[in-house]
């Protein structure tokens, strides 16, 4: 399992200037390589490196940074191709897809740049790093991290680290390759989790993680963004960038806290976790305009990712089930009808009379499907 550990760098003024120039040079080189790739159609790592390596060296890059700039470009075009194939830019001929296909991939002047151990060294005991810059090797730069992060860096750091400039601060994102424990058998079934907007997560045990606070923050920021966008001044744009990162951090922290509680509960009770497979829901659902913003700000994928990796670290199995009719089906008798949902929060079965909070009922259906899905998948494994 690969985890990313983020540490904050503490460069002095001269070193910060060198780091800034290094990012600009690396991304200028990446943009040059991207234009060559777009013009020639050569987008593979090895072939593109042969094509542009000499030009990148002339820009002042050493061998390894030049190679990493080429790999960054090749990775960006591979991701673009995959997104086009998956329809993430819309159907052929759509404005968004034509725009994506008609110009080379561009990199911001301060976009992240990967470094390997040939041009970046860690002195973990002293909590410092030394990194290649366009002005030569930097002196030792201090960094900050928690004791748990230091333990991960000491025991499991492998491969590349990304230099990132964000919100006026410098960071290194280090990749740690952590061995995964064996997934335990869910002896007591599955903890079903219904993900939503009004309630971020509701479990089959009846625990409700409400989304009221997060939605209030988003609604307030949305109104403030509208006013600032209308104003359009430099200070307004600066505040817009600040608001964007602040809201994203708040949502991520909320999802981290919820996912940790869910995984801890499943581990404590010897159960797995069952989630709905909500991929493509934004394309499937048709909503009125005021509701679209809420749907598109719903970070269900992030929460699902947090649950998955925390569960993997704890050896807790996670299964994704078909979400169809989990909200309309009765967890008591199985009867499915739209009339079972008189309103958003209420479930009342028209067949057997069973009544429950709608999200708890859905979570119980998800838990039952998790048990069935696990049994089917393991029966197939045993047969093989």
């Amino acid at each position: 399992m690969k985890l990313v550990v983020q540490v904050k760098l503490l460069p002095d003024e001269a070193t910060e200037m060198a780091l800034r120039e290094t990012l600009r040079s690396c991304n200028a080189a990446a943009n040059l390589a991207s234009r060559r790739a777009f013009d020639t159609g050569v987008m593979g790592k090895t072939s593109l490196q042969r094509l542009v390596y000499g030009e990148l060296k002339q820009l002042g890059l050493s061998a390894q940074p030049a190679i990493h700039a080429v790999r960054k470009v090749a990775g960006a075009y591979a991701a673009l191709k995959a997104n086009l194939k998956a329809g993430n830019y819309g159907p052929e001929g759509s404005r968004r897809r034509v725009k994506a296909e008609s110009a080379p991939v561009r990199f911001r002047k301060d976009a992240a740049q990967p470094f390997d151990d040939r041009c970046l060294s860690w002195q973990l005991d002293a909590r410092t790093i030394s990194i290649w810059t366009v002005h030569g090797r930097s002196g030792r730069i201090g960094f900050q991290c928690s004791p748990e992060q230091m333990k991960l860096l000491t025991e499991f750091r492998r491969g590349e680290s990304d230099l990132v400039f964000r919100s006026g601060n410098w960071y290194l994102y280090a990749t740690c390759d952590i061995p995964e424990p064996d997934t335990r058998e869910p002896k007591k079934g599955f903890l079903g989790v219904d993900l939503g907007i009004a309630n971020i997560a509701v479990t089959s045990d009846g625990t409700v993680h409400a989304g009221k606070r997060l939605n209030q923050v988003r609604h307030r920021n949305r109104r403030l963004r509208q006013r600032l966008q209308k104003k359009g001044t430099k200070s307004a744009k600066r505040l817009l960038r600040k608001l964007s990162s602040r809201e994203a951090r708040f949502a991520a922290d909320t999802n981290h806290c919820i996912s940790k509680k869910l995984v801890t509960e499943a581990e404590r009770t010897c159960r797995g976790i069952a989630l709905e497979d909500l991929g493509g829901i934004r394309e499937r659902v048709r909503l009125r305009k005021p509701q679209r913003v809420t749907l598109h700000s719903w970070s269900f994928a992030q929460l699902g990712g947090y649950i998955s990796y925390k569960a993997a670290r704890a050896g807790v199995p996670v299964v994704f089930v078909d979400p169809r009719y989990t909200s309309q089906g009765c967890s008591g008798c199985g009867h499915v009808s739209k009339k079972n949902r008189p309103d958003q929060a209420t479930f009342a079965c028209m067949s057997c009379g069973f009544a429950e909070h709608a999200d708890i009922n859905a979570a119980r259906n998800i838990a039952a499907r998790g048990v069935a899905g696990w049994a089917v998948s393991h029966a197939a494994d045993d047969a093989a």
Side-chain angles (χ1 to χ4, degrees), residues 27 39 71 80 85 107 159 185 247 344 357:
N27 286 301
D39 292 339
R71 289 177 178 174
L80 175 63
K85 185 176 181 180
F107 298 87
E185 186 73 21
E247 182 179 320
Q344 190 275 331
H357 187 285

Side-chain angles (χ1 to χ4, degrees), residues 38 43 77 80-81 83-84 88-90 94-106:
F38 182 78
M43 296 176 183
Y77 277 105
L80 175 63
K81 184 178 179 181
N83 281 318
L84 290 171
N88 295 335
Y89 286 96
S94 66
R95 183 183 300 177
R96 188 180 176 207
R97 180 161 182 150
V98 168
K99 184 178 179 181
E101 293 175 318
S102 61
V105 173
R106 296 195 63 185

Side-chain angles (χ1 to χ4, degrees), residues 151-171:
K151 185 174 185 294
L152 290 174
L153 289 171
T154 303
E155 297 180 9
F156 304 115
R157 189 189 67 80
R158 301 286 185 276
E160 299 176 354
S161 301
D162 289 352
L163 178 65
V164 177
F165 181 67
R166 192 185 75 233
S167 302
N169 295 308
W170 292 92
Y171 300 92

Side-chain angles (χ1 to χ4, degrees), residues 136-202:
R137 196 79 172 193
S138 74
R140 292 196 170 190
I141 306 170
F143 67 83
Q144 293 177 335
C145 67
S146 69
E148 183 181 353
Q149 289 175 316
M150 179 59 73
K151 185 174 185 294
L152 290 174
L153 289 171
T154 303
E155 297 180 9
F156 304 115
R157 189 189 67 80
R158 301 286 185 276
E160 299 176 354
S161 301
D162 289 352
L163 178 65
V164 177
F165 181 67
R166 192 185 75 233
S167 302
N169 295 308
W170 292 92
Y171 300 92
L172 273 177
Y173 290 178
T175 303
C176 294
D177 196 354
I178 300 174
E180 272 189 49
D182 293 335
T183 301
R184 293 192 291 270
E185 186 73 21
K187 296 178 181 178
K188 297 186 178 180
F190 279 80
L191 178 69
V193 182
D194 180 59
L195 304 181
I197 297 173
N199 294 312
I200 298 175
V202 178

